[in-house]
Amino acid sequence: MSRKFSRGLAVADGSLDMFRANPRLAALPLCSLLLVGSGFAVAAGIALHCGLAASLLTNDFLQYTALFVSIALTSSLGTFVNAAVAHCAFRYFDGGVPTVEERLRAAWEARRAIAV
């Protein structure tokens, strides 16, 4: 068990080395945070504009719908950005110099697999 834990720490440390060597790549997780936050802000704005804020506290159907939308939003955006980060890590560990736009393009090409 401790062998798996130490291997996981080594992989995490290697991934952090990638961000230390290329600080520009830290923009990917920050983009994920901004996208998810923006999505929640838009959803909250729609709920407030349509007068659904009070109904969200009392209506079970709306609560489950809001929960489903929030889980779908965060998981899809998070998976997309994580695919870009993983592509960056593979390129970096192979000795390449990853760029942000190259990684986003790679994640965009994998969007169907991410959606599934």
Side-chain angles (χ1 to χ4, degrees):
M1 182 69 165
S2 65
R3 183 173 165 231
K4 289 181 182 181
F5 183 71
S6 62
R7 183 170 186 263
L9 285 177
V11 168
D13 189 46
S15 298
L16 288 175
D17 286 342
M18 179 189 67
F19 286 118
R20 287 183 196 115
N22 299 302
R24 293 176 300 138
L25 298 177
L28 291 172
L30 293 175
C31 285
S32 175
L33 183 65
L34 288 174
L35 285 172
V36 170
S38 298
F40 280 122
V42 167
I46 290 171
L48 289 172
H49 180 70
C50 295
L52 297 175
S55 298
L56 279 172
L57 299 175
T58 57
N59 189 331
D60 285 342
F61 177 74
L62 288 178
Q63 287 176 350
Y64 290 126
T65 302
L67 183 62
F68 174 78
V69 168
S70 65
I71 289 172
L73 177 73
T74 56
S75 64
S76 61
L77 290 174
T79 303
F80 180 81
V81 173
N82 284 336
V85 170
H87 206 273
C88 262
F90 289 135
R91 176 101 166 139
Y92 177 76
F93 292 142
D94 287 340
V97 180
T99 62
V100 173
E101 57 190 286
E102 183 183 58
R103 300 310 112 203
L104 290 175
R105 193 176 322 114
W108 183 254
E109 290 173 4
R111 68 187 178 276
R112 288 192 178 109
I114 292 169
V116 170

